[in-house]
Structures are given as C-alpha cells and as structure tokens.
Amino acid sequence: MKLNRLGSAAAVLSVAAIALTACGSDSPTATSSESTSSSAASGVTGTLTGIGASSQTSAMEAWITGFKAANSGANVQYSPDGSGAGREAFLAGGAQFAGSDASLKPEEAEKAKEVCGPDGAFNIPAYVSPIAIAFNLDGVDEINMDADTIAKVFKKEITKWNDDAIAKQNPDVDLPDTAITVVHRNDESGTTENFVEYLKAAAADVWTYDVSGDWPSDIQSENAKGTSGVVSTTTSTNGAITYADFSAVGNLSTVNVKVGDEYTKISAEAAAKALDTATPVEGAAENDLALELQRDTTEAGTYPIVLVSYHIYCSTYKDQATVDLVKAFGNYVVSDEGQKTAHESAGNAPISTSIAEKATKAIDSITVAQ
C-alpha cells in the first residue's frame, strides 16, 4: 500500500503574506533577545522567508504548522519555486533561507559571502526522500528496471512499454504495446540533478550527459515546471513516465530499481539506507553538511535514487532577532519532533541522529554580523 502523499505543490506556503526579507537586511521583528538552540524555541516572533525546492512542499507544510504551534507569534512563508530559484533568491538577499535539492556549488558558496558575511553560508540536510520513477500505464501497478534500462527509457532509446529490455525483467507482467512518453522538469531542479547523478553513476555507458540541474536539451520530450507539473502531466497521460519526489507522486505507479542482484521497492526505509554510505563533500567547511552519495551501490535493500534536500542558512544575520528566529526554526526542522512531523506528512526518511547532532551544532553557530 502506498503512503498517503500530497499530489500538488501550493503556490506559496505561508501563514502570513508579506514582502520578502533579505538575509542581511529588513530583518523580522522578534521579542526574544536570546539565541535559541532547542527545537520549538519558546516565544520567538517575527516572519521568516524561504524560497526553494518544491520537493519539500509536504514537509514544509508540516514544519510550518508545528513551528507555529510552539511559537504563536512566529510566521514562516515558503515559496516552492524550485531549487535553482531558491538558491538564486537567497544569494541575492531575497530570502533568509533556501530550500535546495542540491548543495551550494563552489561559486555559489563564494557569492554567499556577499550577503552572509566572510564565513558565507552552509548546507543542512533537512529532508531525505527517494526520488520515484513514477509512471501511468493502464493495468500495471509496478515494474522492474535496471539502471541501463531506466537510462535508455529517459534517453528515448526505448520507446515502447513492451520492449524486450523491459519485458525480460518483468516476465509476469502483461505489458502493452503503448508508446512511452517521457516527462521531465523544464526548470532548473535539484530533483533533476539528483536523478541524472544516479544515471551517470549507475548507467555510465548509456547516460553520457554531464550532471546538471537542467534536463539535456537534445532529449525532446514532454516537460512541465516543478514537481506538481510533471506529476500532473504524467497522471493525465497513459504511457507516461517521470521522476519526482516520492511524497508527491500520488496514485502513480512506481519502478522497482535493480540494486545488486535484486530489485528494490521504493520506500523511506530503503532510502535511509543510502545515507549509510554517504560521505561529506570534499573541501566542505566545518559547519557545512553537504553529502556525497554512492549512487552505484550494490547493497541489497538500498534505494539509490535518493534526494537529500538542504536548508541553506547564512552564518551571520543582521541582528539578534533574525538570528533567534532562524535558529528556532532551523533547530525545529532537524529535531526528532520536526523530522517525525515531516515523515508523517510526506513519508520521507528522518535524518539520522548523528546528522541531527551535527546540524544542531551548525545552526547554533549562527551569530549576529559584526
């Protein structure tokens, strides 16, 4: 049975509609004068603005609700405009944090120093979820594919659902002679980047494109903006296939991915196993928790197409009120309560205790700019 998942992203997740506030200016008002390191800080007030990954939509709704319950005077607004848009807005000073399915690139980390001070910004894993290869095919609930087959489907080298490459992996499935319609993101997307990173690692002989948040321009296929866009298009098209955060695929069927000698069914638990072999990104700063995933793992029971979505914060903000609010919300998100709340809403895999402890330490290091 599939998890209860929300099928569409709200245009703006907000408990108050206000003008955007920047990292280093126009800070929110707050009554608390002490920085907070515990989840659900007592009584912080003001408004926090974030922009970014649409994959976090369901989780963000839960985080906003939970945080608001503990801090009645605090507001959080989040626009799920996509990872690229979120990082761009954050680096331009148009949001106090970004949600992103990809960590800051080196050039972005350097640019962050302009709005965040000399120590720049850092990435905190906030949301871990498998990326579903989701499809709509009458009469078929699930299907098995290995990495090469997945890559050939999305390169449009395999164009029919009853192609021999698919049929031999699914001997008990009655596959129709239906054309495969590939649906991809048309905006810069961390989900795209994570998906093609898997293809590049696990099907290197087939997927020869560079890893990017933009879909390869020479693969002409159906496209839509955001997670909700590709899910909607796939849902309305028999024979369509796409990639999207598992929390958002609704009633679409999903592909079981071959790992080692077995096919792994998508689940939060299988996604969590993928983080067991993750390593810190080389050269990352002490408080930066960006992770490098082993996409070509052969460990049984592991689902390798995993999205680690980050919250990106400044190391310093203009005043104590902003620092208090950012810390309070950031710590709530990575707390046991925050992760449980998101899991119940979005079906994602909670971050590990060790990552949560490192995240808390990093968030608590945020200070007022001197």
Side-chain angles (χ1 to χ4, degrees):
M1 180 178 293
K2 293 184 180 179
L3 294 168
N4 181 26
R5 302 187 293 267
L6 300 180
S8 63
V12 177
L13 303 178
S14 176
V15 291
I18 61 161
L20 294 178
T21 52
C23 288
S25 63
D26 299 329
S27 61
T29 59
T31 57
S32 172
S33 61
E34 298 178 357
S35 61
T36 305
S37 62
S38 63
S39 67
S42 59
V44 293
T45 64
T47 300
L48 186 65
T49 299
I51 300 173
S54 57
S55 61
Q56 294 187 29
T57 297
S58 298
M60 189 63 72
E61 288 177 331
W63 286 326
I64 290 173
T65 300
F67 183 66
K68 175 71 173 178
N71 300 273
S72 61
N75 301 315
V76 180
Q77 72 168 22
Y78 183 79
S79 296
D81 299 337
S83 297
R87 295 196 306 275
E88 183 178 349
F90 174 77
L91 295 173
Q96 291 155 322
F97 75 97
S100 178
D101 298 339
S103 58
L104 289 172
K105 298 176 176 64
E107 62 271 21
E108 292 175 325
E110 187 63 29
K111 185 175 176 59
K113 295 177 182 178
E114 298 175 12
V115 290
C116 296
D119 291 330
F122 56 89
N123 306 278
I124 295 294
Y127 177 82
V128 179
S129 181
I131 297 172
I133 302 173
F135 65 93
N136 176 12
L137 186 61
D138 288 347
V140 180
D141 293 329
E142 63 180 49
I143 212 164
N144 297 327
M145 288 190 194
D146 59 23
D148 283 356
T149 302
I150 295 167
K152 289 176 181 178
V153 166
F154 279 89
K155 280 186 72 176
K156 301 183 69 175
E157 293 179 2
I158 294 175
T159 59
K160 295 281 190 177
W161 279 102
N162 63 351
D163 186 281
D164 286 345
I166 300 175
K168 70 181 181 181
Q169 297 177 72
N170 299 276
D172 298 325
V173 180
D174 185 16
L175 295 167
D177 185 33
T178 301
I180 298 174
T181 300
V182 172
V183 183
H184 67 83
R185 293 278 291 267
N186 62 18
D187 54 330
E188 183 184 358
S189 160
T191 306
T192 298
E193 184 169 341
N194 278 269
F195 179 56
V196 300
E197 188 176 276
Y198 159 75
L199 296 177
K200 184 74 170 178
D205 292 339
V206 178
W207 194 266
T208 55
Y209 298 98
D210 292 335
V211 175
S212 172
D214 295 306
W215 189 253
S217 60
D218 62 333
I219 303 179
Q220 300 296 316
S221 56
E222 293 294 319
N223 59 85
K225 182 177 180 179
T227 301
S228 60
V230 295
V231 169
S232 176
T233 300
T234 303
T235 301
S236 63
T237 308
N238 185 43
I241 190 168
T242 193
Y243 55 92
D245 185 82
F246 188 41
S247 70
V249 300
N251 294 321
L252 291 173
S253 302
T254 55
V255 172
N256 303 325
V257 177
K258 191 172 186 182
V259 177
D261 297 325
E262 302 175 1
Y263 293 92
T264 301
K265 185 177 179 66
I266 190 169
S267 70
E269 293 73 24
K273 290 191 67 175
L275 265 67
D276 292 343
T277 56
T279 56
V281 169
E282 186 176 351
E286 180 182 359
N287 288 327
D288 196 311
L289 302 185
L291 297 171
E292 199 76 57
L293 297 166
Q294 187 179 333
R295 303 289 189 179
D296 56 352
T297 180
T298 58
E299 186 70 28
T302 301
Y303 189 85
I305 317 176
V306 175
L307 175 150
V308 178
S309 200
Y310 299 91
H311 285 179
I312 302 171
Y313 299 109
C314 282
S315 57
T316 63
Y317 290 87
K318 183 181 179 181
D319 54 46
Q320 190 66 53
T322 308
V323 170
D324 290 347
L325 188 55
V326 170
K327 284 187 176 184
F329 181 70
N331 274 302
Y332 173 73
V333 166
V334 301
S335 71
D336 288 344
E337 179 185 347
Q339 289 292 300
K340 180 182 178 183
T341 297
H343 174 71
E344 291 172 348
S345 175
N348 58 296
I351 60 176
S352 68
T353 300
S354 62
I355 291 178
E357 290 174 350
K358 292 175 183 177
T360 298
K361 179 182 177 182
I363 293 166
D364 284 347
S365 73
I366 297 172
T367 59
V368 176
Q370 300 301 313

